[in-house]
Amino acid sequence: MPSGLRLESMAERPDATGRARATVETFDRPALTGDFYDHVMRSPSYDPAWDLVVRDEQGAIAAFCRVSVDHTNRIAEIDPVGTLPRFQRRGLAAAMLTETFERLAAAGIEEAFIGSGPPPAPSNRLYDGLVPSETRSVLRWTRG
């Protein structure tokens, strides 16, 4: 982790507004307001200990990933993963995901998956760089 930046969970310092703002800025999705994130935080699968963020020197969120953990089946879903544009290309997402995988292993989780778009989705470079033990293609159908 670069100097001055810190990895922590939303359990340590809850900040629905800051987390929503980081998501909006990263993905350019204005509809993802603080109200939306409050709704996410009330869902049964949400655990603030598994909502990880990287904070800058002032405490603002620079990168994030949320993990849904199924302890019974020892599997986790990591989604979304994002880094604010002004913090990109510093290795934050890779460092955060590496720490996430270590925490999942320590919790007895045997498998984790991260959904991504088809090539040329920019996130695929990050995920491929993590050298996954296996990748799978999943087809999705929707009504037009």
Side-chain angles (χ1 to χ4, degrees):
M1 192 69 57
S3 177
L5 300 178
R6 180 175 187 267
L7 180 75
E8 63 184 41
S9 74
M10 290 294 282
E12 295 169 68
R13 192 177 347 173
D15 181 7
T17 301
R19 182 67 168 74
R21 188 178 311 120
T23 304
V24 167
E25 187 176 336
T26 299
F27 299 121
D28 192 25
R29 302 277 309 273
L32 302 179
T33 63
D35 289 341
F36 171 83
Y37 207 76
D38 282 335
H39 177 73
V40 168
M41 294 171 76
R42 287 191 308 272
S43 72
S45 64
Y46 180 79
D47 181 347
W50 289 103
D51 193 355
L52 303 178
V53 297
V54 174
R55 293 190 183 269
D56 69 11
E57 297 86 357
Q58 289 76 41
I61 296 172
F64 53 86
C65 75
R66 187 175 68 238
V67 185
S68 297
V69 180
D70 177 346
H71 293 280
T72 302
N73 295 300
R74 296 186 302 251
I75 190 167
E77 175 185 13
I78 302 169
D79 183 54
V81 176
T83 303
L84 277 74
R86 66 183 176 275
F87 291 99
Q88 291 176 357
R89 307 245 186 262
R90 295 189 197 179
L92 298 183
M96 183 175 51
L97 287 171
T98 298
E99 174 66 20
T100 298
F101 295 142
E102 289 175 7
R103 291 179 183 203
L104 288 169
I109 303 303
E110 297 174 350
E111 186 172 346
F113 63 94
I114 305 171
S116 184
S123 58
N124 290 340
R125 286 192 309 265
L126 166 65
Y127 304 145
D128 290 342
L130 296 171
V131 191
S133 61
E134 179 181 349
T135 60
R136 300 179 192 155
S137 294
V138 178
L139 301 176
R140 178 178 164 191
W141 286 268
T142 59
R143 282 191 219 199

